Amino acid sequence: MQHIDQKVLELYVLNDNAVVQQREAIEQHLDECAGCRELVARMEDMYAGFFETMENEPLQTSSQLPVRQKKSLTTTSPSPLQEIRANYEIERAPIRRVMLFARRHPVVSSTMSLFVLGFFALLSWQVFNGIESFDENPSYYFLNDANAKFEVYNKTNQMLWSMPLSNIKEVQKFENDFKMKKAIISDINGDGINEIITNLQFNANLNGPRKILVFDNKGTIIKSFAFQNKNIQFKNIFYNMEFYAGTILKIETFNNELAIITDGSAGRSPCFVARLDSHLNVVGRYWHFGSLMPFISDIDNNGNNEIVALGKNDVEDNIMRDYPVMVVLDPKKLITDQEASAARGYGLKQSESEVYYIRFPESDMEKATQTKLMARSIVYDDTNYIHVHVENLGD
């Protein structure tokens, strides 16, 4: 139904001569349209009250109805509507203006109300959804060398927390050289939120022993672990040593059991590769004499990861007979304290976790230069071969 313009209806209510010829059509429309009838009724009420006020009270300025007098209403005008608008400017508050507009435009106002309600409902949903969807679960870390900070992020690249790290350049070099991480991110307590496990020496931890630290998603230390100082005997020689955790690796063993693999060292022999459980309890240690750095790899392509440790054997280094080695261990069998097959002398049982113990031969160049090497890193290619880099760390 085509509604009559509000201005035409207003002229109709005021009996303006401009709509004399339209009155019959207007009245026929009012008989059929309830919305326009209501609008006309409201206009009649408003103007009836206005004229009544003008007849009973002198023209004056009121605090409730501020007006501006231009001339007397006694002047004759062919259009009462034009004369009222010409002589008075009625000031209304914003809310009153909105209410008046709604009364004059019932159809438009209803549509706008629905739009406004929908807009605010959508805005509220987006704000609420944005708050609820913020992911507090750590996903990865970033070494920000510009700010010398260790930063932890969620999967949508929002930073959760950061920690000052003074030796960040050294850490970056280690990760680039060995293609290994200095921290692992895993849910070790089974609550669905990842923790960060690392042996990094943050500024507050530089003066103490190097520990394994576990941070929650807020950056709070919830666990710490350090190998206990202990007198180690190898071939009737005692070594009073303070072992620190080197590499930190995560591996899924059997029955979804989480294992954390690390190497215990003091910068010299003896050393060991240790398996910890998710509570940072020592499950077992593979004792060696020399140095070993563990990696994780499914080296035999059987679908299960093994521990591949590279380094050198120092059992006979006093007569210059040390040599580079590669050791492959089965993590499932790395339980209790056991010793390497090529480093007997701790008084322990020979390791059952040792799958392979590979000694790299001494080259003629090494003999001629009296250079001693150690296995340092592994490189895989697209074939069934792996390449082990054996280097002289002194050069």
Side-chain angles (χ1 to χ4, degrees), residues 30-183:
L30 293 176
D31 289 339
E32 300 174 357
C33 180
C36 290
R37 280 201 308 274
E38 182 180 354
L39 181 58
V40 167
R42 292 180 181 276
M43 289 181 179
E44 290 174 343
D45 291 341
M46 182 180 68
Y47 283 112
F50 174 80
F51 286 117
E52 182 180 353
T53 301
M54 295 304 299
E55 292 174 359
N56 298 332
E57 296 183 4
L59 184 63
Q60 60 182 2
T61 302
S62 169
S63 59
Q64 295 181 346
L65 185 65
V67 297
R68 176 170 58 85
Q69 182 177 357
K70 283 188 175 180
K71 56 185 176 179
S72 172
L73 275 179
T74 56
T75 58
T76 304
S77 171
S79 172
L81 176 62
Q82 292 178 3
E83 184 160 338
I84 291 172
R85 288 176 174 170
N87 285 276
Y88 290 89
E89 292 179 358
I90 303 177
E91 298 178 0
R92 299 182 178 92
I95 295 179
R96 189 175 176 188
R97 293 192 193 113
V98 173
M99 293 177 65
L100 182 58
F101 179 84
R103 288 164 59 183
R104 292 180 176 179
H105 303 81
V107 177
V108 177
S109 299
S110 299
T111 304
M112 290 184 63
S113 298
L114 290 174
F115 173 77
V116 171
L117 289 174
F119 171 77
F120 281 106
L122 178 62
L123 182 62
S124 300
W125 178 84
Q126 288 179 336
V127 172
F128 178 77
N129 188 61
I131 295 173
E132 289 295 312
S133 64
F134 180 77
D135 183 9
E136 296 184 343
N137 197 10
S139 179
Y140 68 94
Y141 70 88
F142 174 68
L143 298 172
N144 189 338
D145 56 352
N147 298 325
K149 285 188 176 182
F150 175 87
E151 299 174 343
V152 177
Y153 291 81
N154 63 15
K155 63 183 179 182
T156 56
N157 305 317
Q158 296 169 300
M159 189 170 70
L160 301 179
W161 58 270
S162 64
M163 189 78 67
L165 183 62
S166 59
N167 62 336
I168 194 167
K169 295 287 188 182
E170 177 185 335
V171 175
Q172 286 179 321
K173 186 177 186 306
F174 174 90
E175 292 194 343
N176 291 332
D177 290 348
F178 294 100
K179 310 303 178 185
M180 297 173 63
K181 296 294 186 179
K182 292 293 286 183

Side-chain angles (χ1 to χ4, degrees), residues 9-20 23 27 78-80:
L9 290 178
E10 199 168 11
L11 293 171
Y12 169 79
V13 170
L14 294 171
N15 295 315
D16 196 281
N17 294 332
V19 294
V20 170
R23 292 190 66 84
E27 290 172 352
S79 172

Side-chain angles (χ1 to χ4, degrees), residues 5 30 38 49-50 57 87 112 147 174 178 192 212 223 234 236 240-241 243 255 269 278 280 289 319 331:
D5 185 78
L30 293 176
E38 182 180 354
F50 174 80
E57 296 183 4
N87 285 276
M112 290 184 63
N147 298 325
F174 174 90
F178 294 100
I212 295 178
K223 288 184 182 180
F234 181 75
N236 299 319
N240 186 12
M241 310 189 61
F243 293 97
N255 297 328
S269 302
S278 59
L280 303 187
F289 200 85
I319 55 174

Side-chain angles (χ1 to χ4, degrees), residues 333-345:
K333 298 179 180 179
L334 186 52
I335 54 177
T336 71
D337 279 7
Q338 301 174 358
E339 62 185 22
S341 61
R344 305 302 302 272

